[in-house]
Amino acid sequence: MSNTNWNRRRFLGTTLSSAVGSTLAGTAIAPAIFGASAAQAKTDVTVGLIYVGPRDDYGWNQAHAVAAKALKSVPGVKVVEEENVPETVAVRKTMEGMIQSDGASLIFPTSFGYFDPFMIDLAKKYPKVEFRHPTSLWSADKHPMNLGGYFCYLDQAHYINGIAAGLSTKSNKIGFVAAKPIAIVLRNINTFTMGVRKVNPNAVVQLVFTGDWSMPVREAEACNALISAGNDVIACHVDSPKVVIETAEKAGVKTLGHNASQAQLAPKGFITGAENKWETVYKTFAVAISEGKKLPNQFFGGYDKDMVLSTPFGAGASDKARNAATQAIADLKAGKPIFTGPVKSNTGKVVLDKGYGLYDPVLEKMDYLVEGVAGTLG
């Protein structure tokens, strides 16, 4: 699973910018166009969701499963799910079963390796079925038009995590456990740090890379090392933050979540968390399909498009943190930028010479750590 997850994130870190640069302006307003808040489907529609791991992993898969549960509440929509499906011919069989046996007309296979060749082949075979992938490997010049992608900009919620962390620390040392130094991870680390430093310029984010997406032993070791170094708040970007959150909670250290809600794992120290709100995508697309509308091939957004959210504040959040984070969410919904430049790397180099909007393609290409991060890419 770790290798496939590496591939999924590697795409997000290196090539998403090319897709976003040319299509985001047209797709960002899609929720308003398609009526994501529609109460029910006009005609019955069956939607299939496929997970590479368990639905209760407190991470990537659970975030999708939570959205699937919300989708089931829409009258006229039937949801079929399959978990622990390998990125092999097994996913082809699962998709065909959903189409032929369940009558699915919209399918969300949620892991990187499902796309090529499996989703591509079935999109060609079933031109009346819509297939959408949680990245955008889709290209208009080589892929079927009933295929596409969607993406929630979770860096925005990590910025909110950073603001809450900066106002919840007493030591001014905040730890961050991350998997790999690729662009999408670096963007989350950097936006987190921008949030921390906005409200607490004296705070430092101490970074440790584990080297892989799911390494429970290394995650625990990294968390303990950060705690031993005096960090009293821990954040992360790994597939399932469960180990990090539980390790910190046991040590009496505050935490911030990633991907899905981990609040129940840390009743004493949880502050808030960065969650993907796939629900917006699933409901929007399902209702649009039921109304006979054409789906966008690329669909992206953050708080302003109701595609990310912050986990409700836990006992670890100070009053100042709650107030500042709430205001910052409102600012992001209004389109206020995070990177207002000039921004320096933690080696002193100017990496952003001016301000950039929330979805500027420049932000997709991060190969640096911003000022305030104690750590290296090596």
Side-chain angles (χ1 to χ4, degrees):
M1 181 174 175
S2 59
N3 289 336
T4 58
N5 285 335
W6 157 241
N7 286 335
R8 165 160 54 82
R9 273 35 170 239
R10 179 175 61 188
F11 164 73
L12 288 175
T14 58
T15 60
L16 184 59
S17 59
S18 62
V20 174
S22 62
T23 63
L24 181 60
T27 60
I29 59 172
I33 294 175
F34 287 102
S37 61
Q40 65 182 52
K42 287 190 175 180
T43 60
D44 290 347
V45 59
T46 297
V47 180
L49 282 101
I50 305 170
Y51 315 108
V52 73
R55 288 177 289 182
D56 57 353
D57 67 347
Y58 285 97
W60 176 262
N61 293 293
Q62 184 165 317
H64 288 282
V66 166
K69 182 178 180 180
L71 181 57
K72 293 175 185 177
S73 69
V74 178
V77 175
K78 176 185 176 182
V79 177
V80 292
E81 303 171 83
E82 187 72 33
E83 62 184 347
N84 297 312
V85 179
E87 294 172 319
T88 65
V89 68
V91 73
R92 182 197 303 273
K93 294 178 180 177
T94 297
M95 287 189 287
E96 290 221 74
M98 289 178 171
I99 295 167
Q100 295 179 1
S101 300
D102 301 299
S105 56
L106 173 61
I107 298 181
F108 295 107
T110 63
S111 192
F112 175 89
Y114 294 159
F115 187 84
D116 188 359
F118 309 113
M119 290 178 66
I120 296 172
D121 289 348
L122 285 196
K124 293 176 180 178
K125 184 176 181 179
Y126 297 99
K128 294 184 179 181
V129 177
E130 295 288 337
F131 299 82
R132 292 297 183 274
H133 190 256
T135 59
S136 189
L137 294 170
W138 180 84
S139 176
D141 61 355
K142 62 180 180 180
H143 294 139
M145 294 304 293
N146 59 324
L147 185 61
Y150 56 99
F151 182 63
C152 301
Y153 275 82
L154 200 59
D155 65 301
Q156 295 181 20
H158 276 284
Y159 175 69
I160 301 304
N161 276 7
I163 287 176
L167 292 173
S168 296
T169 179
K170 294 182 179 179
S171 68
N172 283 340
K173 294 182 179 180
I174 299 168
F176 201 110
V177 180
K180 291 178 178 287
I182 61 172
I184 187 63
V185 179
L186 298 181
R187 182 168 179 170
N188 285 339
I189 295 167
N190 289 339
T191 52
F192 175 84
T193 304
M194 295 292 287
V196 169
R197 302 276 284 187
K198 178 180 177 63
V199 298
N200 187 350
N202 296 319
V204 174
V205 176
Q206 296 189 353
L207 173 65
V208 175
F209 287 107
T210 63
D212 219 329
W213 295 108
S214 181
M215 297 292 289
V217 173
R218 292 184 186 177
E219 290 160 13
E221 291 173 346
C223 189
N224 282 323
L226 288 167
I227 292 169
S228 295
N231 293 276
D232 62 352
V233 176
I234 304 291
C236 65
H237 182 154
V238 294
D239 257 16
S240 174
K242 186 175 187 291
V243 169
V244 172
I245 302 297
E246 289 181 332
T247 300
E249 178 76 357
K250 185 177 180 180
V253 170
K254 296 179 179 181
T255 51
L256 298 121
H258 171 68
N259 270 337
S261 174
Q262 294 90 40
Q264 70 182 68
L265 300 175
K268 295 181 180 179
F270 192 79
I271 299 173
T272 184
E275 295 187 43
N276 293 292
K277 194 174 181 184
W278 306 116
E279 171 186 344
T280 296
V281 181
Y282 296 162
K283 286 184 175 179
T284 299
F285 280 26
V287 171
I289 284 284
S290 77
E291 295 175 348
K293 294 179 179 177
K294 177 70 176 71
L295 300 185
N297 294 100
Q298 296 175 317
F299 189 88
F300 309 108
Y303 282 105
D304 54 336
K305 306 300 180 292
D306 196 30
M307 292 176 69
V308 298
L309 70 145
S310 291
T311 309
F313 297 111
S318 67
D319 288 340
K320 286 185 178 180
R322 294 168 185 260
N323 293 336
T326 299
Q327 179 57 55
I329 291 172
D331 290 341
L332 291 176
K333 287 182 177 179
K336 188 173 181 178
I338 293 171
F339 293 91
T340 54
V343 175
K344 291 183 178 181
S345 72
N346 65 352
T347 61
K349 178 183 178 181
V350 175
V351 289
L352 297 173
D353 59 354
K354 61 180 182 179
Y356 291 92
L358 295 174
Y359 305 108
D360 196 295
V362 169
L363 303 179
E364 304 287 347
K365 304 175 183 179
M366 290 186 178
D367 58 359
Y368 52 83
L369 296 167
V370 298
E371 185 176 26
V373 179
T376 64
L377 301 180

